[in-house]
Each structure stands twice: as C-alpha cells, then as structure tokens.
Amino acid sequence: MRDTAVKFEHISMAFPGVLANDDVSLEIQRGEVFALVGENGAGKSTLMNILYGINTPTDGRVFIQGREVERFDPKTAIGLGVGMVHQHFMLVPSFTVAQNIVMSREPRRARFLFDNAKAEALTQALVEEYGLVVDPSAPVEELGVGLQQRVEILKTLFRGAEILILDEPTAVLTPQETDELFAVIRRVVKERSMTVIIITHKLYEVMAISDRVGVMRKGRLVGVKNTSEVDEKQLASMMVGRPVLYDQLQKTGSPGEELIRVDDLVVRDNRGLKAVNGLSLSVRAGEILGIAAIEGNGQSELLEAITGMRAPESGRITVRGQDVTGRSPGDIRAVGLAHVPEDRLSTGVSRSASVSHNLLTGKHREGRFNAFGFHQRTSTIQRYAQEIYDRFDMRGAGIDATVGDLSGGNMQKVVIAREFSFDTPVLVIAQPTRGVDVGAIEFIHTRIIEKRNQGCAILLCSADLDEVFRLSDRIITIYEGRITGEFTSFSKEEIGFRMTGTRQGEGEST
Amino acid sequence: MKNRDKGSYFASLALSVLLAFAIGAVILAVAGFNPVQAYAAMVDGAFSNVRHVGDFLEYAMVLCICGLACVLGSRVGIFNVGGEGQLLLGAIAACQVGVVMNGQSKWLVLPCAALAAMAVGGFYALIPGVLKVKVKVNEVITTIMLNTIAASFCQFLAKGPWKNPNRNMVAATGQLDPQYWFTTLIPSSNLSTAILIAAVMAFLTWYIMQKTAVGFEMKLTGQNPRFAFFSGIKTDKIVILCMLISGAMCGLVGMFRVYGVEHLYRSSISNQYYFEGLTVAMIARYDPVTVILLSFFFAILKIGAQGMELSAGVPNQIYLIIQTVIIFFMAAENGIFTSVQAGAQRKKARAALARKEEQSHG
C-alpha cells in the first residue's frame, strides 16, 4: 500500500454568503497524479488554497504527509513539502532564472552579499536532477511562457516540494508545450515519487495525465474515480450534475460579401513595441474567422485596433466597406460592429451599475427609452432589460442586481446579451467563455453559431483552442504580430506548430 | 444608492453625528465650558432670531450649489478642488459687469452678470478638464494651483485696476448700484432672492444627473471610463462638459454672493466656502439629494456656532471639530461596516454548517 500524501477530513470553508467547500473528505496518495476538475466556483481553488495555507478552513482537518496542519499559512505548508504553481506566474521578469529560483533563500557571501555563482550552480544542479532543462543565467523576461512555468516548478522543487499543485497549468500553453509539461510531470512522479495535483477544466487533459480524478460541484466533492474507468462524457455530466450533450453545431449557409478587411496593419502595444506587424485579413458575411495564438502575440492589439479601442500606427481597417482606421469605438459601432471584449471586468461592464443599466448601455439614446428625447423612461428600460435577461437565461439575482456581484458566467452573459442585442452584421468576439462554466459555454456557443447562420461576419479570438476549433470556419495562426498560417481544415499539431512561429510553406511574406 | 444601502448610510451618518457631538462635548468640558449650555447656545444661535435663519439659509444655498458642483465632477470621475477659484473669478467678473454697465436696466445687467460669472467660472474649470482629458494631468493638482492663482489675481484686480475709488478699503472693487441688488427676503439677513434661482439650479442638476440620458452617460463615464468609451460614449466630451457646468455653477455662486450679500467684490466673498461644500459632498457620498439635505444641517451648525461664540463665549472652531470628526467617522464607517458584516456572515455560515451536521447525525 502507498502512503497518503494529503488527507482532507470534513473540510468546510464558508465565505461571506457562500459555502465554497462543503464537507470535503479526500485522500491523495504519494506518487500519483490527481486531477481536480469542476466548473468555475465549484471550490477547487479554495480547497487547494487551504492545502497551500492561503485559506484557513471554517471546519475540518488537513493532514500533510501524516502530520496535521495546525497553522494555515503558506510558510507552514511549504515547510511540509507543498508547492504551488499559480495560474499567473509570480516571477520577477528582470531577474535571471537562478535569481528567481533561489529568491527568499539566497545563498550568500560574507553574510550580506548575494552569491550569484552559487545560485546558478544550485539551479544547474536542480535542472540536472529533475531533467527540466532551462538556462540558469537567462533573464526570465526573455523566456517563453512554457519555460517560465518550468522556472515556477523548479522554484517549488528548490524549496523542497514533494506535493506539487498546478493551477490550470495549460491555460497559456501551446499543445506542444502542454505535451512537454506532461512529460515533466510523468517524470517527477515516476522518478521522484512526487505527488502532483492538477486543477483544470479541460477534460481531455484529465484523461491524458491523471491517475485519479476528483470532481467538484458547488463546493462538494461529488466523486473520485480512477481515470482509466471513466470517460470525458461521464466527467462532464458529473461536473454539471446533468448529462451534457455536445451537439454538433449546425452550420448553414456559405460566406457572402466581405465585411471586415484589414490591410497591412501595424499596431503598437502599451510598451511601444510593434504588437501587430503588417497583418492583413478579411472576414466575410456568414463566416467565423478564428484566431489561434498564444497570449501576447498581438491578437489583443489587433482586435482593439479593429474595434477602435487602440489607434493603429499604419495600415487600413475597413468595416462594411467603410474606412474606420483610427476612429473611435462609437463611430465604428455606428457602422455596424459589436464587440465582446477579452477582459469583461475592465472593459465589458460597469461593475457598480445594475444589470439593467449594463444591458441598456449603447441603446440608451434610442427614442423608445427617452421621453421628449431626454427623460429616461424607467419602466420601459426595466421591461426591455427583463426581456433580454430572460432571453439569455441569466438565472441569478435579477435585473436590479449590481453586476459586480454576479458570477463570471452571468457577467459574461450580460456582455454577450448586450452586444448581440445590437443586431450588428459584424461581431468581434474575444474570449467568449473565459472563466465560464460548462453549461453557459454550450449556451454561448449556440448563440454565436446562430449569429453566424444569420449572416454575421465574426472575428473570434480565444485562448481556448478547442473553442476556436469548434466554432471557426477558417483559422489563422498569429505569431509575434504576423499571420503564420491559414487553415480551412484543422489539425491540432499543425496549428500548434504555426502558433510557435513556424511559417506555412517557404518564402511566404505574410 | 439602493434603499438598503441608503438605510444603513443614514444610520451610520446619524451615529457619526452623535459621536461627533459627544466628542465635542468632551472637548468643551475639558476646556471648561458647560457642553449642555454651549450646545443650547448653538441651537439658539441659529434659530432664536429670524435674521440668523436667513443667514443659515443663505449659507445652505452656498454649500448646496458648491457641493452639487463637486458631485457633478465626481460623477465623471473628476475631483474638482478648484471651485474656490472658479467662485472668486465668477464673483469679480459679475461684479465688474455691474459696475461697468451702471445705469442700464437691471433686466439687462443681471443676465449679463450671470453670463459673465458662468463663462469665467466655466472657462476656469475647463483648463484642468482639458488638461486631464488630453494630456492626463492630474486634476487635483491643477485645480489646487489654479485656486491660488485665481485668489491672487482677484486680489490684484481689487487692489489695482478695478479698485474702488470711493472707499478706503485695501482691496475691494466698485460698489453695485442698489437697483441691481437681489431683493433681501429677510430684513438685515443675507438671504436674498438668489436662493430661488439656486433652488432651480439644484433641481436641474439633480434631474440631469439622475433622470436623463446624458446623466446616464456621466454615471457610466465615472464608474468605468474604459467601458463607457468601449460602449461608444464620447467620454472626453462628457468629462469636459461636466467640468464646464461645474465651474459655471461655482461662478454663479460668486455672483450670488456679490449681488445678494456683499454688493461689491472683496475677499470676504468666500472664505473657503467651496471647500466646505466639497466636504458636504464627501460626507454625502456624492449623492445629490443627500448633499441638499446636509447643506442645511451644516449651515445651521456653522451659523449656530457663530451665535454660540457671541452669547456663550465658546470659540466657533468647535464647529470645525464636529465637522471633521463626522468626516472621520464617515470615512472609517465603510471599512468598519464591511468588516462587521463579513464577521456576521461568517458566523451565520458556521451556524448553518453546525445545524446541517446536527441534522445529518440526528
């Protein structure tokens, strides 16, 4: 029999107004890869934050390697051999790999001076021990995301971690990088008999990497299975508590006239670097053009330029035949474009306003909402908001609730409902289902396809490659601000390859 | 504000006021005054004489319009600290119009003076507004600096080019002919017909902010400017418009002070009155109706404190102490309230958990 690495006994965690963990008991064995899945807000991160000492449970006990945890703080957890790699890396970009890894436990010379040579030697030893190849003297900012993640893992290993928690580790990785990460996980588990807990909501990854899987729903652990004994469909139903039918989306019609056209566009990012570098594309009516790119390759700046949120440096943007280069979002919307922004919190909603006011925004000047052209008709507005609310199936606190209090899924529905209600022929959609639960994803995908079938030209960008594959008629890959490939039949390997910069064919100029 | 929030807001406001008076009482007692007598003298100071009632109504008007001007700025996310300068410039411009146009019909002079006050105040607010929108200069710094410039400039005009030739004052402009004065409503008090115009202004400001599409755009711009811009709202224009109106309102307050009370320009036109209005706006959490209500409260306090000083010999600075203690409590209230609320909810969650466990065992 194997030893128990982690044991949760009747863990409950109450946050004001919500029970994030409800009587969770779970044992995780040493030397296994345990996947924790569940919708957003199901309580997976809360449970792992308890293990890492960030949260103190309201009730219940936690044992790490047989010892009961008495004080919940990360220092204690690290001392007991727990390491956590967060979704957002916590590295100092200007420091080298070695400096990041030894941080807070720096080797010293003459008591006060940082010993860089020793730090690099220690890192090199670690690299060789675990076979996680990375250059100790390279500044972290020069590394790709996959390598940065490797540095994060090395950092936890340096601190003596035997239990490694990975919070959505593949969210920012290409398929190739994901494969490499999984190879690393398998190696440390097999050779070092480490325990790896991986939080994810990508079910195929659960199947690919884990030995056992725990499914959480609404704060409770609804099941723990051996991965070999379940399939993705079963897991999905366990997650949402009902069968999920991934219907084949019905696409009808063929592309019509060109509604978005981008010629030789150059856009600079906030640091003044060329994020989009001579890019051209075109989207036609009744077509979804998907963008596959790793975060930070210019796709955000591209969409911002098209929708007027960012002024391009050069090039031309045409929407429905009109030149809209450098125009304001208001002007471009007037031409017939709606926009689901990638960051709903900062751009997509007013968090302190009500649901009804968020739904009204953009239509608030329409005659039907204003008596004599200036006096807002409150009851008409409420009725309109209620109608949209019902149509988009936003179950929750109602139209008078403050948007900031909604769950991520409902907040996203507010954004989608508003933007889709403009009935524009052109849609620019970024990250339509980021942080949205499985049930709502289905709903949103169906709406997007509906728009496509009605003849909208849709430009879609998502960090979730599966989503891009599922919805798009055509896919382009973007790397460092340029298009590296265009596909009408999709192969994951090929597209993943293009996302990392390899161009399609030889001597192509775009 | 939702009704529930409103209830808890007024509860904590009442508590803050009570605590402030209690602390004031302690200070009075330590200083050797009888607090009960002092507070009684304060009430007396405001209400015993109809003249004092007129004075506090006039001061409430000043607080209210200045406070609303501040609310208007905050609605679009701008902290207009420059109202004092806008007020002074509006006052001196309005006054000079009356002096220069002496002899004309008052139906011509008064509108011209009002327009001049609004134009000058509005323009002076436009400077920080445009700087903020176009080059992202922090408006707090620019407005504070512009206050000093305006005060010195007005002082320069009143001592130099526009100096009153007939009166032996250090710094004052020419006096208005009595036919241009606002009619006094309560004899020998400061209260004039200007308060009627102010009441209309207060209503309009409230109406525009709360009930119109433009007000809706202002609110969105203040709540999340990026979202407002994203939604197609011309946020730059809205911000500049709000600053313009805010400055024009302050300028008009200056005109009211000249044509209603002082009848010439001198520095006593405003003794940091805009800042007191701003304080009221802050305590009211920038809610227009609350600003109007609180203006009366603080005006009564201030005029009452002046009466108290005369009758009971208590320095009127006690008013400032009470006012600042209220601000202090209201600022702390938010944090205290949320932490108490969170604690209560944690307790409730724990109790619910315990109940559930009992049920499952039993």
Side-chain angles (χ1 to χ4, degrees):
Chain A
M1 212 180 111
R2 293 200 282 187
D3 349 324
T4 304
V6 180
K7 188 172 167 194
F8 294 100
E9 259 185 25
H10 302 291
I11 293 292
S12 289
M13 180 75 208
F15 288 114
V18 56
L19 200 54
N21 283 158
D22 185 359
D23 196 18
V24 174
S25 295
L26 172 66
E27 279 188 38
I28 295 168
Q29 309 300 331
R30 173 184 279 277
E32 75 172 336
V33 179
F34 189 89
L36 201 54
V37 298
E39 300 189 23
N40 274 74
K44 336 179 270 287
S45 296
T46 307
L47 192 65
M48 287 305 112
N49 282 342
I50 289 172
L51 181 57
Y52 194 55
I54 296 171
N55 291 339
T56 305
T58 319
D59 201 13
R61 302 197 292 174
V62 177
F63 298 86
I64 298 173
Q65 322 246 41
R67 288 170 57 190
E68 177 165 5
V69 180
E70 275 155 20
R71 255 175 68 85
F72 286 87
D73 65 50
K75 213 172 165 182
T76 314
I78 291 168
L80 289 169
V82 179
M84 185 158 178
V85 176
H86 293 270
Q87 212 173 335
H88 301 284
F89 303 148
M90 305 195 176
L91 298 169
V92 183
S94 58
F95 281 20
T96 65
V97 170
Q99 286 162 352
N100 268 288
I101 286 175
V102 301
M103 197 178 298
S104 86
R105 300 176 175 211
E106 305 88 355
R108 300 197 181 172
R109 267 185 302 138
R111 289 195 69 182
F112 295 109
L113 300 172
F114 176 61
D115 189 343
N116 200 42
K118 184 118 182 265
E120 290 188 4
L122 284 170
T123 305
Q124 189 57 41
L126 208 61
V127 163
E128 279 160 20
E129 194 182 343
Y130 289 95
L132 294 169
V133 180
V134 56
D135 175 10
S137 61
V140 161
E141 61 196 348
E142 287 176 9
L143 302 180
V145 185
L147 283 180
Q148 288 193 18
Q149 190 175 52
R150 199 170 278 185
V151 175
E152 280 277 12
I153 295 174
L154 282 169
K155 198 165 85 181
T156 61
L157 295 174
F158 180 73
R159 294 174 180 181
E162 292 166 32
I163 301 161
L164 187 59
I165 309 168
L166 301 170
D167 188 358
E168 305 220 7
T170 61
V172 290
L173 302 184
T174 60
Q176 279 84 356
E177 284 172 325
T178 303
D179 288 345
E180 279 174 42
L181 172 70
F182 284 179
V184 166
I185 293 176
R186 282 195 202 97
R187 195 157 57 233
V188 294
V189 169
K190 204 168 138 203
E191 291 172 12
R192 305 270 144 194
S193 81
M194 279 186 52
T195 310
V196 175
I197 306 172
I198 174 166
I199 303 179
T200 181
H201 47 215
K202 294 182 185 169
L203 297 178
Y204 65 87
E205 291 180 3
V206 174
M207 306 310 291
I209 187 72
S210 69
D211 301 313
R212 285 198 305 151
V213 51
V215 181
M216 294 196 70
R217 184 171 77 234
K218 291 180 183 156
R220 325 189 90 178
L221 188 67
V222 291
V224 177
K225 304 272 183 197
N226 289 323
T227 311
S228 53
E229 291 161 16
V230 286
D231 61 25
E232 288 185 36
K233 264 204 172 131
Q234 281 169 294
L235 288 176
S237 337
M238 283 167 80
M239 273 165 72
V240 294
R242 61 185 162 82
V244 178
L245 304 167
Y246 270 122
D247 286 337
Q248 202 52 47
L249 295 163
Q250 282 298 318
K251 292 182 184 169
T252 56
S254 55
E257 57 173 328
E258 180 184 75
L259 293 184
I260 306 177
R261 184 178 177 83
V262 172
D263 290 308
D264 206 17
L265 190 71
V266 177
V267 188
R268 287 185 188 272
D269 64 14
N270 291 340
R271 293 170 299 168
L273 306 172
K274 281 184 185 172
V276 177
N277 200 350
L279 187 147
S280 304
L281 61 81
S282 132
V283 191
R284 289 152 46 126
E287 172 188 56
I288 299 179
L289 175 64
I291 296 174
I294 306 161
E295 245 169 273
N297 274 288
Q299 69 273 42
S300 304
E301 287 80 5
L302 169 67
L303 297 200
E304 283 178 353
I306 293 175
T307 55
M309 295 297 287
R310 182 184 289 273
E313 181 167 276
S314 64
R316 216 168 88 102
I317 301 164
T318 321
V319 173
R320 295 182 81 196
Q322 288 193 41
D323 186 347
V324 296
T325 319
R327 305 283 289 279
S328 76
D331 294 342
I332 298 175
R333 281 174 180 274
V335 173
L337 174 145
H339 176 199
V340 176
E342 71 175 355
D343 185 347
R344 60 175 164 262
L345 282 180
S346 73
T347 315
V349 294
S350 171
R351 268 184 282 180
S352 41
S354 65
V355 172
S356 61
H357 280 180
N358 270 281
L359 290 173
L360 176 70
T361 303
K363 294 196 166 204
H364 60 277
R365 290 275 187 182
E366 279 181 18
R368 59 179 161 147
F369 298 124
N370 293 288
F372 323 112
F374 59 86
H375 183 90
Q376 284 199 320
R377 294 179 200 264
T378 314
S379 57
T380 317
I381 290 169
Q382 292 293 92
R383 230 177 301 127
Y384 168 76
Q386 190 64 49
E387 182 202 315
I388 300 280
Y389 185 88
D390 294 338
R391 190 171 354 134
F392 278 83
D393 194 28
M394 284 178 246
R395 279 157 291 177
I399 55 171
D400 292 324
T402 306
V403 163
D405 294 340
L406 299 183
S407 69
N410 269 333
M411 210 186 278
Q412 184 68 1
K413 276 187 179 176
V414 169
V415 179
I416 299 225
R418 184 188 59 236
E419 297 301 326
F420 282 22
S421 71
F422 293 132
D423 283 326
T424 53
V426 179
L427 282 168
V428 174
I429 303 174
Q431 317 297 352
T433 59
R434 178 180 276 179
V436 168
D437 56 55
V438 175
I441 290 176
E442 261 183 288
F443 182 85
I444 291 171
H445 282 180
T446 315
R447 292 283 96 75
I448 293 176
I449 293 296
E450 241 172 56
K451 283 285 179 190
R452 173 205 174 275
N453 293 346
Q454 286 164 12
C456 284
I458 300 175
L459 182 60
L460 171 82
C461 177
S462 172
D464 182 353
L465 265 190
D466 293 313
E467 183 167 73
V468 177
F469 284 119
R470 188 153 183 253
L471 296 174
S472 306
D473 296 295
R474 214 154 41 93
I475 293 179
I476 52 173
T477 50
I478 298 182
Y479 179 73
E480 292 192 340
R482 295 169 195 264
I483 292 179
T484 52
E486 183 175 334
F487 304 83
T488 43
S489 64
F490 314 146
S491 121
K492 237 181 202 176
E493 286 63 39
E494 178 69 10
I495 287 178
F497 208 52
R498 299 295 169 209
M499 284 163 69
T500 53
T502 322
R503 297 279 171 77
Q504 215 170 10
E506 284 292 317
E508 263 184 13
S509 58
T510 35
Chain B
M1 262 194 283
K2 280 183 271 176
N3 283 335
R4 180 167 43 90
D5 298 347
K6 223 163 202 166
S8 77
Y9 165 77
F10 279 110
S12 40
L13 180 63
L15 195 66
S16 302
V17 169
L18 279 177
L19 282 169
F21 274 100
I23 290 172
V26 170
I27 293 171
L28 285 169
V30 168
F33 299 102
N34 181 338
V36 180
Q37 272 172 12
Y39 285 148
M42 196 186 253
V43 176
D44 244 29
F47 291 100
S48 64
N49 188 322
V50 69
R51 222 182 70 219
H52 295 159
V53 174
D55 284 353
F56 83 61
L57 285 177
E58 193 264 349
Y59 190 59
M61 166 191 92
V62 172
L63 286 184
C64 172
I65 301 300
C66 287
L68 287 176
C70 179
V71 170
L72 200 62
S74 86
R75 209 32 83 96
V76 290
I78 283 215
F79 193 41
N80 178 11
V81 196
E84 189 72 11
Q86 293 145 23
L87 190 160
L88 292 176
L89 285 176
I92 203 165
C95 185
Q96 197 60 18
V97 166
V99 170
V100 170
M101 290 178 74
N102 197 13
Q104 306 281 343
S105 152
K106 72 173 178 182
W107 300 111
L108 185 66
V109 172
L110 285 176
C112 284
L115 275 178
M118 280 161 58
V120 171
F123 169 76
Y124 209 55
L126 209 57
I127 300 172
V130 170
L131 283 175
K132 166 91 177 179
V133 165
K134 296 293 172 205
V135 275
K136 309 236 179 309
V137 179
N138 185 315
E139 78 279 7
V140 176
I141 294 164
T142 48
T143 47
I144 287 180
M145 290 313 181
L146 286 171
N147 274 343
T148 316
I149 296 172
S152 308
F153 181 62
C154 290
Q155 205 63 5
F156 162 79
L157 288 177
K159 275 183 181 172
W162 292 353
K163 187 172 164 53
N164 190 329
N166 306 322
R167 294 179 68 168
N168 196 15
M169 282 195 200
V170 184
T173 65
Q175 189 153 15
L176 295 171
D177 191 274
Q179 65 159 320
Y180 302 132
W181 298 2
F182 282 123
T183 314
T184 303
L185 291 178
I186 295 176
S188 69
S189 84
N190 288 341
L191 189 68
S192 69
T193 42
I195 198 169
L196 304 177
I197 308 171
V200 174
M201 278 169 64
F203 171 78
L204 276 180
T205 320
W206 167 83
Y207 179 80
I208 290 172
M209 282 195 283
Q210 305 293 80
K211 299 286 172 193
T212 66
V214 179
F216 183 75
E217 295 188 349
M218 291 175 184
K219 225 184 291 179
L220 286 177
T221 305
Q223 283 167 344
N224 183 351
R226 190 171 162 84
F227 170 61
F229 178 65
F230 159 87
S231 303
I233 293 168
K234 310 266 184 231
T235 49
D236 289 2
K237 274 188 193 160
I238 291 274
V239 168
I240 288 177
L241 178 76
C242 276
M243 276 308 267
L244 195 68
I245 301 175
S246 175
M249 285 167 72
C250 293
L252 265 185
V253 172
M255 185 226 170
F256 294 165
R257 292 285 301 162
V258 170
Y259 283 72
V261 182
E262 304 278 352
H263 309 127
L264 50 68
Y265 177 90
R266 59 180 167 198
S267 52
S268 63
I269 278 293
S270 172
N271 184 16
Q272 308 281 313
Y273 291 164
Y274 178 79
F275 287 97
E276 299 213 3
L278 180 145
T279 308
V280 170
M282 277 165 71
I283 296 176
R285 300 234 172 104
Y286 305 102
D287 177 64
V289 177
T290 316
V291 167
I292 296 170
L293 296 177
L294 284 184
S295 295
F296 286 98
F297 176 73
F298 282 106
I300 291 170
L301 265 190
K302 173 147 186 158
I303 302 298
Q306 285 169 359
M308 174 183 75
E309 183 171 78
L310 291 177
S311 64
V314 182
N316 76 52
Q317 272 70 18
I318 195 73
Y319 156 75
L320 283 178
I321 294 177
I322 289 173
Q323 194 188 33
T324 39
V325 170
I326 294 175
I327 298 174
F328 176 81
F329 280 129
M330 289 309 288
E333 182 264 345
N334 221 341
I336 295 171
F337 184 72
T338 31
S339 90
V340 168
Q341 211 176 26
Q345 259 170 352
R346 259 197 300 277
K347 220 171 175 179
K348 222 163 71 186
R350 220 169 263 155
L353 209 63
R355 258 203 313 282
K356 216 165 146 190
E357 259 160 34
E358 252 168 50
Q359 275 170 2
S360 61
H361 289 309

